[in-house]
């Protein structure tokens, strides 16, 4: 087996340098597999990797992975979490999309998270995961992720793997260059992929050049619950694609790619591909801060939502903010420069030292690398090629550090291993290319299957990469897995990059369409996980802290039921006195205080998703019964040997009936009640921030 594998690997090398087709290699490899009697003949030969690969990704039962990897979920609107090197999926974290699996975005407590100025939106398209940083290194506090369609940025707490906060970005369309962070997460950024009229107003599309603008937003991000758009920079109407903060010497700067500097607004595949060079915008955000402080920014009326989950009640509230500070580059000279970059650049990545700024020109034949030192000198020397909208254009040659020659086709993104090497994804030639910083020579290349988009090295965009693994996230899957109809699983591939040559270790399927990802050593956050919520601290106004506090109460047409869930019953279980025309709120609290003891709740005919109740947590299901009858409810999460017994009934009578309100309490509840006195219900009104 080992011999066969190494011969197949030679085949790959051949395919690359000798121009052999994939098909030829595949046939040759299949033949080798056959003659060696390995039984692999029916598999795609690309599945054959070097003999020790299996042991490098094998995590024995009961053992943990070395890294947490956070992959954007693309058009699922979520984040998925994997262990590396095994590729085992650990969790899907709902962010911008309703998630029926646990009721996120359906429950009365979480719906406010999905509020925007366009109303409640149950979906978005996530692109770039970004870990919070301290001194330029991932610190394991939070993960940020952007919504690309209705521009938003979310903050996920990594002690709970839950979305706590979402901020909408005003004056923006296509929040693609987001949510990249500054070195201490002072800010995360969001820049517009689509330029639009700002403020957005009715206008002929052919007014694009004169009337459409881009914005770059800096969002304060260093305090939970306090995310806010600190300021926006008004930019020419290009498509702003990706960004990365400077670090070390370049720490006060931020870099953004742009394409469509042609300002085409139709048939972009041709019309936005005409210029030899587009721009990387270099933004001095420290100077921008000073300009804002000295009153150079204008207050623009606008509207955007800020949604936040309170720590004690675990209830989300949404507020609409009404204005934003906007800076024109001409009002703050020295804040923005354009660096010409070939050609329609996509990624912009800063090496761990902070000196090199790498552009990934989708249509470029080289990988251009800019020098921060030379950029400062070019600015001091005024080595400009004119200006656009008050933004000086630096001379390409004055800023260029070097070009990686003949890297392959379609360079997109670059990550770094911290040992002096860079790794660039090549979409068109389907490969990862490893090259040396400073000499710009290509030292290795490895094929990917197929059409790689982003790649990720744990910490590979930070000051301190943990540079042993590289994850390729591929856009086309084709023959990698058992086929599943017209749409195949999304695909990631793990490479060992600890040695001189990259070694393919593993394929694993992913959900949604992952774009960017981040990873950090599991030891950084593994022992910080919340195991349950202390019931005593549960501040939800409808929480119960014991079975005795359960009950039913009518407030006009609204019926509130406070219910305790524990192994293995609900208190109360049977309920009567509800009528057609009522709106019923089931406020269910899991009063178990044990790690991973989770209950669920669902009632016949409900229009929402089930509640999943973490230990110590209260969640509310809104239910509008349409016809008289008796409706069962039950626990949806297999919680104990008597999980199937965890059920109850709610009786619904005709409008105007005289059936009395009644809640059947458990024997234990009755004892507790006798001891503590009568149960109490909160004052009339909904929990704060509830959305109907
Ligand atoms: Cu509680 Cu099943």
């Amino acid at each position: 087996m080992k011999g066969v594998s190494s011969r197949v690997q030679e085949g790959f090398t051949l395919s690359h340098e000798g121009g052999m087709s994939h098909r030829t290699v595949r046939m040759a490899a299949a033949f080798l597999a056959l003659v060696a009697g390995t039984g692999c003949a029916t598999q795609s030969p690309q599945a054959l990797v070097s003999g020790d690969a299996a042991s490098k990704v094998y995590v024995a039962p009961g053992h943990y992975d070395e890294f947490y990897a956070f992959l954007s979920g693309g058009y699922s609107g979520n984040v998925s979490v994997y262990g590396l090197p095994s590729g085992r999926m650990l969790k899907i974290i709902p962010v911008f999309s309703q998630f029926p699996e646990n009721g996120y975005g359906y429950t009365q407590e979480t719906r406010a998270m999905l509020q925007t100025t366009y109303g409640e939106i149950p979906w978005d398209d996530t692109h770039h995961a970004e870990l919070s940083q301290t001194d330029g290194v991932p610190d394991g506090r939070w993960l940020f992720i952007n919504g690309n369609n209705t521009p938003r940025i979310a903050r996920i707490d990594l002690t709970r793997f839950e979305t706590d906060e979402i901020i909408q970005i005003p004056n923006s369309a296509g929040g693609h260059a987001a949510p990249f962070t500054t070195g201490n997460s002072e800010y995360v950024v969001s820049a517009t992929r689509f330029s639009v009229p700002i403020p957005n107003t009715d206008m002929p599309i052919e007014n694009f050049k004169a009337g459409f603008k881009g914005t770059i937003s800096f969002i304060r991000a260093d305090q939970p619950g306090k995310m806010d758009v600190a300021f926006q920079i008004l930019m020419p109407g290009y498509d702003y694609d990706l960004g990365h903060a400077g670090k070390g010497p370049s720490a006060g700067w931020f870099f953004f790619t742009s394409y469509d500097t042609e300002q085409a607004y139709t048939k972009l595949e041709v019309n936005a591909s005409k210029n030899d060079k587009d721009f990387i915008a270099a933004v001095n955000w420290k100077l921008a801060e000073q300009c804002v402080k000295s009153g150079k920014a204008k207050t623009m009326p606008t509207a955007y939502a800020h949604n936040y989950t309170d720590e004690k009640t675990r209830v989300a509230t949404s507020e609409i903010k009404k204005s934003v500070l906007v800076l024109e580059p001409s009002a703050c000279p020295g804040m923005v420069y354009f660096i010409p970059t070939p050609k329609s650049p996509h990624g912009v990545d800063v090496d761990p030292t902070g000196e090199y700024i790498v552009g990934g020109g989708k249509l470029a034949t080289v990988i251009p690398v800019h020098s921060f030192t030379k950029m400062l000198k070019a600015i001091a020397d005024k080595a400009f090629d004119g200006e656009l909208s008050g933004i000086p254009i630096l001379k390409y040659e004055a800023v260029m550090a070097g070009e990686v020659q003949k890297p392959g086709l379609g360079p997109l993104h670059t990550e770094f291993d911290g040992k002096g090497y860079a790794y660039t994804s090549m979409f068109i030639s389907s490969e990862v290319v490893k090259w040396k910083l400073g000499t710009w020579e290509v030292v290795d290349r490895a094929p990917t299957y197929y059409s790689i988009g982003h790649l990720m090295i744990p910490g590979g965009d930070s000051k301190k990469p943990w540079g042993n693994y590289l994850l390729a996230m591929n856009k086309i899957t084709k023959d990698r897995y058992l086929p599943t109809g017209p749409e195949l699983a999304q695909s990631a591939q793990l490479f060992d990059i600890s040695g001189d040559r990259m070694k393919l270790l593993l394929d694993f399927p992913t959900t949604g369409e992952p774009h960017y990802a981040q990873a950090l050593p599991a030891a950084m956050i593994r022992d910080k996980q919340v195991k349950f919520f202390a019931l005593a601290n549960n501040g939800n106004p409808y929480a119960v802290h014991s079975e005795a506090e359960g009950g039913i109460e009518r407030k006009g047409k609204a019926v509130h039921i406070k219910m305790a869930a524990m192994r293995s019953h609900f208190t109360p279980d049977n309920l009567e006195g509800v009528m057609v025309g009522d709106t019923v709120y089931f406020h269910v609290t899991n009063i178990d205080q044990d790690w991973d003891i989770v209950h669920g709740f669902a009632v016949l005919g409900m229009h929402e998703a089930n509640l999943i109740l973490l230990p110590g947590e209260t969640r509310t299901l809104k239910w509008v019964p349409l016809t008289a009858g008796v409706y069962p409810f039950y626990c949806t999460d297999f919680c104990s040997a008597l999980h199937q017994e965890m059920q109850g009934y709610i009786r619904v009578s005709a409008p105007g009936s005289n059936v009395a309100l009644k809640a059947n309490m458990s024997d234990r509840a009755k004892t507790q009640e006798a001891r503590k006195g009568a149960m109490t219900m909160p004052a009339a009104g909904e929990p704060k921030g509830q959305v109907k």
Side-chain angles (χ1 to χ4, degrees):
M1 183 79 199
K2 212 159 198 165
V4 171
S5 304
S6 65
R7 267 177 286 166
V8 172
Q9 289 233 313
E10 279 164 30
F12 286 141
T13 312
L14 248 184
S15 116
H16 226 286
E17 285 152 16
M20 253 168 98
S21 74
H22 277 317
R23 191 155 166 269
T24 318
V25 178
R26 212 174 293 168
M27 284 164 59
F31 174 73
L32 286 172
L34 261 181
V35 293
T38 59
C40 296
T42 56
Q43 285 189 4
S44 161
Q46 289 92 339
L48 299 175
V49 293
S50 58
D52 58 348
S55 66
K56 286 193 168 161
V57 299
Y58 181 67
V59 178
H63 288 76
Y64 295 141
D65 276 293
E66 194 183 342
F67 290 94
Y68 283 102
F70 303 92
L71 276 62
S72 81
Y75 44 69
S76 78
N78 300 325
V79 167
S80 45
V81 186
Y82 298 81
L84 293 182
S86 75
R88 298 185 293 194
M89 186 197 272
L90 305 174
K91 192 177 181 66
I92 292 178
I93 306 170
V95 184
F96 299 110
S97 294
Q98 283 184 312
F99 196 58
E101 188 178 312
N102 70 359
Y104 175 87
Y106 293 91
T107 64
Q108 297 299 299
E109 287 79 7
T110 55
R111 281 180 64 176
M113 290 302 284
L114 304 182
Q115 274 299 322
T116 72
T117 53
Y118 303 94
E120 198 176 336
I121 295 185
W123 173 88
D124 214 305
D125 177 19
T126 61
H127 275 245
H128 309 114
E130 177 87 338
L131 288 161
S132 58
Q133 296 186 354
T134 299
D135 192 24
V137 180
D139 57 20
R141 286 180 295 167
W142 312 308
L143 181 79
F144 298 101
I145 184 107
N146 65 325
N148 186 57
N149 185 51
T150 303
R152 286 175 279 178
I153 292 174
R155 191 175 52 78
I156 293 164
D157 182 293
L158 291 182
T159 65
R160 288 177 279 109
F161 284 56
E162 287 183 323
T163 305
D164 271 356
E165 189 169 10
I166 292 178
I167 190 158
Q168 188 184 354
I169 315 299
N171 293 330
S172 179
H176 193 266
F180 303 99
T181 182
T182 54
N184 291 298
S185 292
E186 299 96 335
Y187 299 103
V188 291
V189 300
S190 178
T192 47
R193 167 162 166 215
F194 306 113
S195 286
V196 285
I198 290 173
N200 206 337
T201 180
D202 179 24
M203 173 184 300
I205 295 167
E206 43 187 58
N207 283 15
F208 188 99
K209 275 193 190 183
F212 288 37
K213 296 275 183 210
T215 54
I216 293 174
S217 302
F218 281 77
I219 296 109
R220 199 81 209 180
D222 51 359
Q223 283 188 63
K226 304 264 170 68
M227 286 177 86
D228 195 12
V229 181
F231 57 89
Q232 298 188 304
I233 300 172
L234 201 60
M235 298 290 289
Y238 310 150
D239 288 20
Y240 296 89
D241 208 6
L242 282 162
H244 262 112
K247 44 177 90 88
S250 56
W253 291 74
F254 223 109
F255 304 93
F256 298 88
T257 48
S258 66
Y259 62 100
D260 194 18
T261 53
E262 298 86 350
Q263 296 190 284
Y265 53 90
T266 175
K267 302 185 183 79
L268 261 64
E269 67 176 322
V270 175
N271 293 332
S273 304
K274 289 184 172 161
N275 291 348
D276 265 353
K277 294 189 176 68
D278 297 275
F279 299 124
I280 286 174
V283 176
N284 183 339
W285 61 264
K286 288 276 187 193
L287 181 60
E289 276 183 332
Q290 286 172 27
C291 285
V292 171
K293 243 183 223 159
S294 59
K296 305 271 174 59
K298 287 185 188 137
T299 301
M300 187 186 277
T302 183
Y304 60 105
H306 175 237
N307 312 328
Y308 178 56
T309 302
D310 179 80
E311 202 186 322
K312 273 206 113 172
T313 61
R314 298 182 49 70
V315 175
T317 53
S318 179
E319 66 169 319
I320 301 294
K321 302 197 174 201
K322 295 287 192 187
S323 70
V324 69
L325 289 167
V326 178
L327 266 175
E328 299 256 11
S330 55
C332 185
M335 176 176 67
V336 190
Y337 296 90
F338 279 140
I339 308 173
T341 302
K343 177 178 186 175
S344 296
H346 189 49
V348 52
D349 300 287
V350 182
D351 87 305
T353 69
E355 166 63 10
Y356 297 122
I357 302 134
V358 182
K362 298 190 288 276
L363 305 174
T365 53
V366 298
I367 301 172
V369 184
H370 304 297
S371 153
F372 180 71
T373 310
K374 289 176 83 173
M375 184 191 90
L376 290 185
K377 184 168 187 310
I379 292 169
D381 296 348
K382 296 197 173 1
F384 301 148
D385 262 340
E387 61 164 56
L388 279 165
S389 307
I391 300 169
I393 302 168
L394 295 163
K395 286 189 192 300
Y396 177 68
E397 289 74 18
V399 181
M400 190 187 77
E403 290 175 338
V404 181
Q405 299 293 330
K406 294 190 182 156
L409 295 174
L412 292 185
H413 303 282
T414 300
E415 293 258 297
F416 307 91
D417 64 4
K419 300 170 220 163
Y421 295 97
Y423 300 72
T424 302
S425 58
M426 310 299 285
F427 177 82
I428 297 171
S429 53
S430 274
E431 59 187 333
V432 177
V433 170
K434 177 180 176 181
W435 50 274
K436 195 166 167 49
L437 286 157
T439 70
W440 326 118
E441 61 190 319
V442 173
V443 296
D444 191 20
R445 46 179 81 237
T448 58
Y449 304 97
Y450 303 90
S451 304
I452 180 174
H454 278 272
L455 44 64
M456 182 273 289
I457 292 170
D461 67 339
S462 78
K463 271 167 89 171
K464 195 186 103 186
W466 294 276
N468 287 341
Y469 295 109
L470 181 149
L471 190 69
M473 284 158 283
N474 305 320
K475 298 298 181 193
I476 310 287
T477 308
K478 294 291 186 196
D479 54 3
R480 301 305 289 178
Y481 308 109
L482 284 174
T484 52
E487 190 188 20
L488 305 177
Q490 308 289 337
S491 187
Q493 293 188 298
L494 188 72
F495 290 84
D496 176 356
I497 57 165
S498 60
D500 291 342
R501 307 293 303 268
M502 292 178 272
K503 282 187 207 151
L504 177 61
L505 297 179
L506 179 73
D507 280 15
F508 66 93
T510 58
T511 69
E513 185 195 31
H515 295 271
Y516 194 39
Q518 296 258 278
L520 48 65
M524 286 178 71
I525 60 174
R526 194 180 72 200
D527 298 329
K528 294 179 181 164
Q529 296 308 302
V530 170
K531 294 188 168 66
F532 58 85
F533 300 106
L535 204 49
N537 296 338
N538 183 330
N540 187 298
Y542 289 94
V544 297
H545 301 85
S546 69
E547 290 183 59
E549 289 174 32
I552 186 167
E553 189 179 63
R554 171 177 291 283
K555 288 170 185 162
K557 293 273 187 196
V559 176
H560 291 271
I561 296 157
K562 292 203 299 177
M563 188 181 282
M566 79 226 69
R567 282 168 290 179
S568 299
H569 62 274
F570 294 109
T571 300
D573 60 357
N574 292 338
L575 299 147
E576 298 192 5
V578 171
M579 290 177 284
V580 172
D582 287 341
T583 298
V584 179
Y585 294 93
F586 292 96
H587 309 281
V588 191
T589 304
N590 177 354
I591 64 171
D592 278 320
Q593 294 281 274
D594 228 339
W595 197 11
D596 197 30
I597 298 303
V598 172
H599 298 290
F601 183 85
V603 58
L604 172 64
M606 68 187 196
H607 290 177
E608 309 277 327
N610 77 165
L611 306 177
I612 286 296
L613 309 153
L614 306 180
E617 178 182 66
T618 305
R619 287 287 180 251
T620 299
L621 174 79
K622 180 180 162 185
W623 182 61
V624 182
L626 299 176
T627 55
V630 178
Y631 296 79
F633 52 81
Y634 72 105
C635 173
T636 53
D637 194 308
F638 208 115
C639 52
S640 71
L642 296 175
H643 155 80
Q644 279 307 79
E645 280 71 16
M646 196 163 168
Q647 64 165 61
Y649 291 101
I650 181 164
R651 175 183 169 190
V652 178
S653 305
S657 86
N658 58 2
V659 178
L661 273 189
K662 195 170 124 193
N664 183 49
M665 305 301 285
S666 66
D667 292 341
R668 188 166 8 160
K670 286 171 192 158
T671 318
Q672 287 171 341
E673 197 178 337
R675 211 172 335 127
K676 284 188 185 170
M679 64 162 229
T680 51
M681 295 293 285
E686 309 294 344
K688 193 169 158 258
Q690 215 172 40
V691 179
K692 264 152 255 112

